[in-house]
Amino acid sequence: MRKLSLTCMGKDKPGIVAKVSEVLFKTGCSIEGSRMSLLQGEFAIIMIFTLFNDENIKILRRELKRVEYEMDIEINLREITPDEYEEIQKLPSKTYQINLYGADKPGIVFNVANILYINNINIIDLYTDIIESNNSKVYIMSITVDGDKIPSLEFLKEKVEKVCKEMGLQVSIQEMEEVEM
């Protein structure tokens, strides 16, 4: 049994998800988590899955190469060590949501991500886009961060709001409520 991660990118076209998931299905894999998204004509996949039969690894690699060629996409496969897998299974006990918007300018992602990095705050998810609003373009960014190492909401607000103010951005930050299944 092996845990693997797969990343895939390419020009969007019908069939990418079907072809990649067919290979995983036919080689006895189980997809445990995935994110798939279209961004300005480029389609991307990231997924974690289990290959139950180690003897199928060569078939899996060969068939993914075939799909790569047929669909004109790039596919990368990486084995996840047991230690890595154990670490990624740990979910943070709390998360914070940072939403900001303002005029588009170079450095927004870098400056906000850098202040988080400097304060040892891990980004779990990040989304950016440019939207039309009143005949002008507005840059939006939404970030979910691991809250386990953040002393308080006020600490996070102090760090992020300072950077956003310097860049002329509006920002809101709140602790996310835990969802139980």
Side-chain angles (χ1 to χ4, degrees):
M1 184 171 84
R2 297 180 191 212
K3 298 283 184 192
L4 298 147
S5 70
L6 176 146
T7 56
C8 170
M9 290 185 61
K11 185 177 179 340
D12 186 42
K13 61 183 70 80
I16 295 173
V17 175
K19 294 284 187 181
V20 170
S21 61
E22 177 185 33
V23 169
L24 298 180
F25 170 68
K26 287 185 174 180
T27 54
C29 298
S30 177
I31 300 170
E32 296 179 14
S34 67
R35 301 292 184 273
M36 303 178 200
S37 190
L38 176 64
L39 180 64
Q40 297 183 7
E42 290 292 312
F43 190 76
I45 299 173
I46 183 169
M47 62 176 59
I48 306 293
F49 63 94
T50 299
L51 173 67
F52 290 101
N53 184 346
D54 285 345
E55 294 175 11
N56 286 348
I57 190 69
K58 287 182 181 177
I59 298 167
L60 174 68
R61 290 184 191 284
R62 183 185 71 229
E63 290 301 303
L64 287 173
K65 281 289 180 200
R66 180 186 55 77
V67 169
E68 199 174 26
Y69 176 78
E70 283 178 8
M71 300 299 290
D72 191 26
I73 56 177
E74 294 177 25
I75 299 175
N76 294 295
L77 207 53
R78 185 178 83 78
E79 191 156 351
I80 300 171
T81 67
D83 288 345
E84 287 176 315
Y85 189 73
E86 186 177 312
E87 187 62 31
I88 63 174
Q89 290 298 95
K90 297 176 187 171
L91 298 175
S93 62
K94 66 179 167 182
T95 58
Y96 292 97
Q97 187 69 39
I98 303 168
N99 295 303
L100 59 91
Y101 66 92
D104 185 25
K105 61 185 79 164
I108 294 173
V109 174
F110 165 71
N111 283 291
V112 175
N114 195 49
I115 198 64
L116 296 172
Y117 165 67
I118 289 168
N119 288 281
N120 199 30
I121 298 170
N122 194 39
I123 296 171
I124 297 171
D125 193 40
L126 188 147
Y127 168 86
T128 66
D129 207 349
I130 296 176
I131 59 171
E132 296 284 333
S133 177
N134 299 326
N135 296 326
S136 65
K137 293 183 178 185
V138 177
Y139 189 85
I140 60 169
M141 183 162 69
S142 179
I143 309 170
T144 305
V145 297
D146 179 338
D148 286 345
K149 295 181 182 174
I150 300 172
S152 67
L153 177 59
E154 291 70 31
F155 174 86
L156 180 60
K157 282 184 175 184
E158 175 190 327
K159 302 300 181 186
V160 175
E161 286 175 351
K162 182 176 186 269
V163 170
C164 289
K165 184 176 181 181
E166 291 169 359
M167 297 195 73
L169 303 168
Q170 301 296 313
V171 63
S172 68
I173 304 170
Q174 60 268 343
E175 185 172 348
M176 302 297 292
E177 292 189 26
E178 191 173 324
V179 178
E180 293 196 27
M181 298 288 206

